[in-house]
Short mmCIF file of all heavy atoms in Angstrom, two decimals:
data_model
loop_
_atom_site.label_atom_id
_atom_site.label_comp_id
_atom_site.label_asym_id
_atom_site.label_seq_id
_atom_site.Cartn_x
_atom_site.Cartn_y
_atom_site.Cartn_z
N ALA A 1 95.14 84.08 96.76
CA ALA A 1 95.26 85.36 97.35
C ALA A 1 94.74 85.46 98.88
O ALA A 1 95.33 85.93 99.72
CB ALA A 1 94.57 86.47 96.65
N SER A 2 93.61 84.51 99.03
CA SER A 2 93.15 84.38 100.47
C SER A 2 94.03 83.59 101.32
O SER A 2 94.06 83.98 102.47
CB SER A 2 91.80 83.71 100.19
OG SER A 2 91.93 82.38 99.76
N ILE A 3 94.82 82.65 100.62
CA ILE A 3 95.62 81.89 101.56
C ILE A 3 96.73 82.87 101.99
O ILE A 3 97.26 82.74 103.22
CB ILE A 3 96.24 80.74 100.73
CG1 ILE A 3 95.17 79.80 100.56
CG2 ILE A 3 97.40 80.10 101.50
CD1 ILE A 3 95.58 78.63 99.55
N ILE A 4 97.25 83.61 101.05
CA ILE A 4 98.48 84.55 101.48
C ILE A 4 98.00 85.60 102.55
O ILE A 4 98.59 85.86 103.48
CB ILE A 4 98.93 85.30 100.18
CG1 ILE A 4 99.60 84.37 99.18
CG2 ILE A 4 99.92 86.47 100.55
CD1 ILE A 4 99.95 84.95 97.92
N ALA A 5 96.75 86.16 102.41
CA ALA A 5 96.10 87.14 103.34
C ALA A 5 96.10 86.46 104.66
O ALA A 5 96.47 86.92 105.73
CB ALA A 5 94.88 87.62 102.91
N TRP A 6 95.57 85.11 104.75
CA TRP A 6 95.45 84.45 106.01
C TRP A 6 96.77 84.24 106.69
O TRP A 6 97.03 84.31 107.78
CB TRP A 6 94.69 83.12 105.72
CG TRP A 6 94.70 82.20 106.87
CD1 TRP A 6 93.90 82.32 107.88
CD2 TRP A 6 95.45 80.96 107.22
NE1 TRP A 6 94.11 81.28 108.87
CE2 TRP A 6 95.08 80.39 108.34
CE3 TRP A 6 96.43 80.38 106.37
CZ2 TRP A 6 95.63 79.33 108.87
CZ3 TRP A 6 96.95 79.26 106.96
CH2 TRP A 6 96.68 78.74 108.22
N CYS A 7 97.76 83.94 105.98
CA CYS A 7 99.14 83.61 106.39
C CYS A 7 99.71 84.97 107.00
O CYS A 7 100.37 84.90 108.04
CB CYS A 7 100.00 83.13 105.33
SG CYS A 7 99.58 81.40 104.77
N LYS A 8 99.50 86.15 106.37
CA LYS A 8 99.92 87.36 106.97
C LYS A 8 99.40 87.66 108.20
O LYS A 8 100.10 88.17 109.14
CB LYS A 8 99.62 88.52 105.79
CG LYS A 8 100.54 88.46 104.61
CD LYS A 8 100.22 89.53 103.70
CE LYS A 8 101.16 89.66 102.45
NZ LYS A 8 100.77 90.75 101.49
N ARG A 9 98.13 87.32 108.32
CA ARG A 9 97.38 87.59 109.63
C ARG A 9 97.96 86.74 110.80
O ARG A 9 98.30 87.18 111.94
CB ARG A 9 95.86 87.33 109.45
CG ARG A 9 95.18 88.45 108.64
CD ARG A 9 93.63 88.39 109.03
NE ARG A 9 93.08 86.96 108.57
CZ ARG A 9 92.63 86.68 107.46
NH1 ARG A 9 92.64 87.67 106.51
NH2 ARG A 9 92.03 85.49 107.18
N LEU A 10 98.27 85.53 110.43
CA LEU A 10 98.86 84.65 111.43
C LEU A 10 100.23 85.24 111.86
O LEU A 10 100.55 85.13 113.19
CB LEU A 10 98.99 83.19 110.85
CG LEU A 10 97.85 82.24 110.74
CD1 LEU A 10 98.08 80.97 110.11
CD2 LEU A 10 97.13 82.10 112.18
N ILE A 11 101.04 85.65 110.95
CA ILE A 11 102.36 86.19 111.30
C ILE A 11 102.27 87.51 112.13
O ILE A 11 103.06 87.57 113.11
CB ILE A 11 103.18 86.44 109.93
CG1 ILE A 11 103.45 85.03 109.33
CG2 ILE A 11 104.54 87.11 110.24
CD1 ILE A 11 104.10 85.36 107.83
N SER A 12 101.36 88.35 111.74
CA SER A 12 101.23 89.61 112.54
C SER A 12 100.76 89.28 113.96
O SER A 12 100.97 90.00 114.98
CB SER A 12 100.29 90.52 111.78
OG SER A 12 99.07 89.96 111.74
N GLN A 13 99.98 88.27 114.17
CA GLN A 13 99.43 87.95 115.39
C GLN A 13 100.30 87.03 116.33
O GLN A 13 100.04 86.69 117.45
CB GLN A 13 98.05 87.20 115.38
CG GLN A 13 96.99 88.18 114.64
CD GLN A 13 95.71 87.37 114.36
OE1 GLN A 13 95.60 86.16 114.70
NE2 GLN A 13 94.80 88.05 113.59
N ALA A 14 101.43 86.45 115.63
CA ALA A 14 102.26 85.52 116.40
C ALA A 14 102.97 86.12 117.57
O ALA A 14 103.01 85.55 118.63
CB ALA A 14 103.20 84.85 115.37
N GLY A 15 103.61 87.22 117.30
CA GLY A 15 104.32 88.03 118.31
C GLY A 15 105.65 87.43 118.85
O GLY A 15 106.74 87.89 118.40
N GLN A 16 105.65 86.23 119.43
CA GLN A 16 106.95 85.70 119.93
C GLN A 16 107.78 85.05 118.78
O GLN A 16 107.20 84.59 117.83
CB GLN A 16 106.51 84.55 120.84
CG GLN A 16 105.92 85.12 122.28
CD GLN A 16 105.58 83.97 123.07
OE1 GLN A 16 106.07 82.92 122.90
NE2 GLN A 16 104.91 84.27 124.20
N PRO A 17 109.09 85.15 118.88
CA PRO A 17 109.98 84.70 117.77
C PRO A 17 109.75 83.27 117.33
O PRO A 17 109.59 82.89 116.27
CB PRO A 17 111.34 84.91 118.38
CG PRO A 17 111.24 86.06 119.37
CD PRO A 17 109.89 85.74 119.95
N LYS A 18 109.66 82.29 118.49
CA LYS A 18 109.51 80.92 118.25
C LYS A 18 108.23 80.61 117.41
O LYS A 18 108.03 79.93 116.51
CB LYS A 18 109.55 80.04 119.46
CG LYS A 18 110.91 80.05 120.13
CD LYS A 18 110.93 79.10 121.36
CE LYS A 18 112.27 79.03 122.00
NZ LYS A 18 112.35 78.23 123.13
N LEU A 19 107.00 81.37 118.01
CA LEU A 19 105.79 81.09 117.47
C LEU A 19 105.84 81.68 115.93
O LEU A 19 105.25 81.04 115.06
CB LEU A 19 104.78 81.81 118.19
CG LEU A 19 103.35 81.57 117.77
CD1 LEU A 19 102.95 80.16 117.79
CD2 LEU A 19 102.42 82.40 118.79
N SER A 20 106.61 82.78 115.76
CA SER A 20 106.61 83.38 114.36
C SER A 20 107.24 82.37 113.37
O SER A 20 106.86 82.26 112.33
CB SER A 20 107.38 84.71 114.40
OG SER A 20 106.74 85.51 115.25
N SER A 21 108.43 81.62 113.92
CA SER A 21 109.10 80.72 113.02
C SER A 21 108.18 79.57 112.64
O SER A 21 108.08 79.10 111.55
CB SER A 21 110.26 80.17 113.69
OG SER A 21 111.18 81.29 114.01
N LEU A 22 107.31 79.18 113.67
CA LEU A 22 106.46 78.04 113.41
C LEU A 22 105.38 78.41 112.41
O LEU A 22 104.98 77.68 111.39
CB LEU A 22 105.81 77.70 114.83
CG LEU A 22 104.63 76.52 114.60
CD1 LEU A 22 105.37 75.21 114.05
CD2 LEU A 22 104.05 76.17 115.96
N VAL A 23 104.77 79.65 112.54
CA VAL A 23 103.83 80.22 111.58
C VAL A 23 104.37 80.27 110.21
O VAL A 23 103.80 80.00 109.25
CB VAL A 23 103.32 81.52 112.15
CG1 VAL A 23 102.50 82.20 111.06
CG2 VAL A 23 102.50 81.35 113.44
N ILE A 24 105.63 80.71 110.14
CA ILE A 24 106.27 80.85 108.80
C ILE A 24 106.43 79.43 108.14
O ILE A 24 106.16 79.27 106.93
CB ILE A 24 107.75 81.46 108.84
CG1 ILE A 24 107.53 83.02 109.35
CG2 ILE A 24 108.45 81.48 107.69
CD1 ILE A 24 108.74 83.68 109.67
N LEU A 25 106.81 78.50 108.93
CA LEU A 25 106.93 77.17 108.45
C LEU A 25 105.58 76.59 107.91
O LEU A 25 105.53 76.00 106.89
CB LEU A 25 107.44 76.24 109.48
CG LEU A 25 107.70 74.68 109.03
CD1 LEU A 25 108.68 74.59 107.98
CD2 LEU A 25 108.13 73.97 110.40
N VAL A 26 104.50 76.82 108.71
CA VAL A 26 103.11 76.47 108.34
C VAL A 26 102.79 77.21 106.92
O VAL A 26 102.24 76.57 106.18
CB VAL A 26 102.20 76.71 109.40
CG1 VAL A 26 100.78 76.45 108.91
CG2 VAL A 26 102.47 75.86 110.70
N VAL A 27 103.07 78.38 106.81
CA VAL A 27 102.77 79.17 105.69
C VAL A 27 103.54 78.63 104.49
O VAL A 27 102.77 78.43 103.38
CB VAL A 27 103.22 80.60 105.95
CG1 VAL A 27 103.10 81.42 104.53
CG2 VAL A 27 102.33 81.38 106.86
N LEU A 28 104.73 78.27 104.54
CA LEU A 28 105.46 77.67 103.56
C LEU A 28 104.89 76.34 103.16
O LEU A 28 104.82 76.07 101.86
CB LEU A 28 106.95 77.56 103.90
CG LEU A 28 107.76 78.89 104.11
CD1 LEU A 28 109.10 78.64 104.61
CD2 LEU A 28 107.75 79.71 102.79
N LEU A 29 104.59 75.58 104.02
CA LEU A 29 104.02 74.25 103.71
C LEU A 29 102.65 74.33 102.99
O LEU A 29 102.35 73.72 101.99
CB LEU A 29 103.75 73.48 105.06
CG LEU A 29 105.02 72.88 105.80
CD1 LEU A 29 104.72 72.24 107.03
CD2 LEU A 29 105.66 71.97 104.85
N VAL A 30 101.88 75.26 103.54
CA VAL A 30 100.52 75.59 102.89
C VAL A 30 100.67 76.11 101.52
O VAL A 30 99.97 75.66 100.53
CB VAL A 30 99.63 76.49 103.77
CG1 VAL A 30 98.40 76.95 102.95
CG2 VAL A 30 99.29 75.93 105.10
N PHE A 31 101.66 77.00 101.40
CA PHE A 31 101.87 77.55 100.04
C PHE A 31 102.37 76.55 99.01
O PHE A 31 101.92 76.45 97.98
CB PHE A 31 102.91 78.75 100.16
CG PHE A 31 103.18 79.35 98.84
CD1 PHE A 31 102.24 80.22 98.30
CD2 PHE A 31 104.40 79.11 98.14
CE1 PHE A 31 102.51 80.96 97.06
CE2 PHE A 31 104.72 79.72 96.88
CZ PHE A 31 103.68 80.63 96.45
N SER A 32 103.26 75.66 99.47
CA SER A 32 103.83 74.51 98.65
C SER A 32 102.64 73.58 98.21
O SER A 32 102.76 73.08 97.16
CB SER A 32 104.91 73.76 99.58
OG SER A 32 105.37 72.68 98.75
N LEU A 33 101.79 73.26 99.17
CA LEU A 33 100.70 72.32 98.96
C LEU A 33 99.78 72.90 97.80
O LEU A 33 99.38 72.21 96.89
CB LEU A 33 99.94 71.93 100.23
CG LEU A 33 98.70 71.11 100.06
CD1 LEU A 33 99.11 69.78 99.48
CD2 LEU A 33 97.99 70.89 101.33
N ALA A 34 99.59 74.20 97.97
CA ALA A 34 98.59 74.90 97.05
C ALA A 34 99.19 74.93 95.70
O ALA A 34 98.57 74.71 94.71
CB ALA A 34 98.29 76.29 97.53
N MET A 35 100.50 75.17 95.62
CA MET A 35 101.16 75.18 94.21
C MET A 35 101.21 73.87 93.74
O MET A 35 101.03 73.72 92.43
CB MET A 35 102.62 75.72 94.48
CG MET A 35 102.71 77.17 94.88
SD MET A 35 101.96 78.26 93.47
CE MET A 35 103.01 77.86 92.24
N ASN A 36 101.44 72.79 94.38
CA ASN A 36 101.42 71.42 93.87
C ASN A 36 100.04 71.02 93.44
O ASN A 36 99.98 70.33 92.33
CB ASN A 36 101.92 70.50 94.99
CG ASN A 36 103.33 70.51 95.23
OD1 ASN A 36 104.10 70.92 94.48
ND2 ASN A 36 103.73 70.16 96.43
N LEU A 37 99.06 71.42 94.10
CA LEU A 37 97.68 71.05 93.60
C LEU A 37 97.35 71.89 92.43
O LEU A 37 96.78 71.34 91.38
CB LEU A 37 96.66 71.51 94.66
CG LEU A 37 96.64 70.71 95.93
CD1 LEU A 37 95.68 71.22 97.01
CD2 LEU A 37 96.27 69.24 95.65
N LEU A 38 97.81 73.13 92.21
CA LEU A 38 97.62 73.90 91.02
C LEU A 38 98.42 73.29 89.83
O LEU A 38 97.80 73.15 88.65
CB LEU A 38 98.03 75.35 91.26
CG LEU A 38 97.81 76.26 90.03
CD1 LEU A 38 96.38 76.42 89.63
CD2 LEU A 38 98.54 77.68 90.40
N LEU A 39 99.63 72.89 90.11
CA LEU A 39 100.40 72.21 89.04
C LEU A 39 99.78 70.89 88.52
O LEU A 39 99.72 70.50 87.40
CB LEU A 39 101.83 72.02 89.42
CG LEU A 39 102.67 73.24 89.68
CD1 LEU A 39 104.04 72.95 90.19
CD2 LEU A 39 102.86 73.95 88.24
N ALA A 40 99.20 70.13 89.51
CA ALA A 40 98.68 68.86 89.19
C ALA A 40 97.43 69.06 88.34
O ALA A 40 97.21 68.29 87.36
CB ALA A 40 98.30 68.19 90.53
#
């Protein structure tokens, strides 16, 4: 839950479209990593 909240803050603060896309990509990568660790 803390990871998701942190990601939401990054997206809201990004502002510019290119930066928002980058933030979304980072969010997806972090989420994927967290899920893989949990499954492992």
Side-chain angles (χ1 to χ4, degrees):
S2 60
I3 293 176
I4 295 175
W6 174 74
C7 293
K8 287 181 177 180
R9 286 198 301 271
L10 284 179
I11 294 174
S12 63
Q13 296 171 4
Q16 298 179 7
K18 290 185 178 180
L19 185 57
S20 297
S21 298
L22 179 61
V23 170
I24 291 174
L25 178 60
V26 172
V27 169
L28 292 175
L29 289 174
V30 171
F31 182 76
S32 176
L33 177 61
M35 290 300 297
N36 287 335
L37 290 174
L38 180 61
L39 288 174

